[in-house]
Amino acid sequence: MSEKIIKAHVEEITPLTDTIMQLILTPEEYVDYHAGQYLQILFGEEAYSYSIANAPLGSHKYELHIRHSLENPYNQRLFAHIKEYGSVTISLPFGECSIENLDARRPIMFIAGGTGFAPVKAMIEQLLSTTDRRPFELFWGARMQNDLYMDEKVTSWQAHVSRFNYFSSLSEENSEPLVSFVLARHPNDLNDWQIVISGPFDMAYSIRDALVQHGVSPERLFSDAFSFEVK
């Protein structure tokens, strides 16, 4: 898919927590994408990337999960712009870490930190919309319970989908890194899985390094964060 620049109306802004906002964008011209990819919001000469949090299942809308805080001047400008104009200029699609690029025969493990859940949500929605029978798991780490902002939705998936397992970890309650929970559950079979890592870049790199140190083949690890790493 080649990228296109389009305008999109901001249809809804919904607070998911005190600091995380859900945006629903309705584009003037719909551009298709794969679950797991991201778009960019263009601001003059600047471009900021946000994962698309819904699977492309016919709504022709883009859902974003954006962390909004006083410490982030760009997001302050973004929401001020939306309040004044009600629309944004976006470019998409971007990213290689999509459901289409995973091995259709292997089970999938998702490891997400904070709003890194957004592309994982899209990929899980895609899995649930098909006849795919592969097992898949989600390990979602956050600072506090409130930061697991769609915990109820994920718990509902687990209750109704037998091939899906969900594990969460809160850093305010447990000092162990998120990857330690993965290693505890999968001491011997990690190379049977393909592992998608999503979240802050430093988190993605450290989880990758820990898994490789425990014998996981780098070919089994997927994250768009790896494309931005300075060698």
Side-chain angles (χ1 to χ4, degrees), residues 60-229:
H60 288 187
K61 301 179 190 296
Y62 309 118
E63 174 186 344
L64 309 180
H65 300 165
I66 298 180
R67 188 171 292 281
H68 179 44
S69 70
L70 296 175
E71 292 75 33
N72 189 321
Y74 170 76
N75 283 346
Q76 293 288 326
R77 288 170 48 214
L78 171 62
F79 283 101
H81 174 91
I82 291 171
K83 184 176 181 180
E84 182 174 359
Y85 297 102
S87 64
V88 290
T89 300
I90 61 176
S91 180
L92 75 154
F94 296 95
E96 298 299 319
C97 185
S98 70
I99 202 74
E100 299 293 326
N101 286 335
L102 297 179
D103 188 333
R105 299 163 297 178
R106 286 184 179 274
I108 307 171
M109 181 186 301
F110 299 103
I111 306 175
T115 54
F117 171 70
V120 170
K121 173 180 175 289
M123 287 188 269
I124 291 177
E125 287 178 350
Q126 189 73 45
L127 289 171
L128 296 178
S129 72
T130 69
T131 57
D132 195 307
R133 301 306 304 168
R134 280 177 295 178
F136 59 100
E137 296 185 347
L138 168 61
F139 291 82
W140 190 3
R143 188 168 62 89
M144 61 181 68
Q145 183 64 40
N146 191 48
D147 293 324
L148 300 174
Y149 53 90
M150 288 191 172
D151 182 69
E152 187 174 329
K153 176 186 286 289
V154 182
T155 301
S156 176
W157 285 340
Q158 179 176 233
H160 294 93
V161 182
S162 61
R163 68 187 190 281
F164 174 52
N165 288 306
Y166 169 45
F167 310 92
S168 62
S169 173
L170 303 177
S171 60
E172 71 170 5
E173 295 179 357
N174 196 310
S175 61
E176 290 290 324
L178 182 59
V179 70
S180 66
F181 295 94
V182 176
L183 295 170
R185 177 168 170 80
H186 295 278
N188 302 309
D189 69 339
L190 280 173
N191 271 316
D192 296 336
W193 295 74
Q194 50 196 333
I195 303 172
V196 174
I197 308 170
S198 179
F201 284 8
D202 287 351
M203 182 210 81
Y205 303 151
S206 65
I207 289 177
R208 177 200 57 190
D209 293 347
L211 292 175
V212 169
Q213 185 177 1
H214 280 80
V216 179
S217 169
E219 295 179 355
R220 299 277 185 266
L221 303 174
F222 301 87
S223 178
D224 280 321
F226 302 158
S227 301
F228 294 89
E229 186 174 17

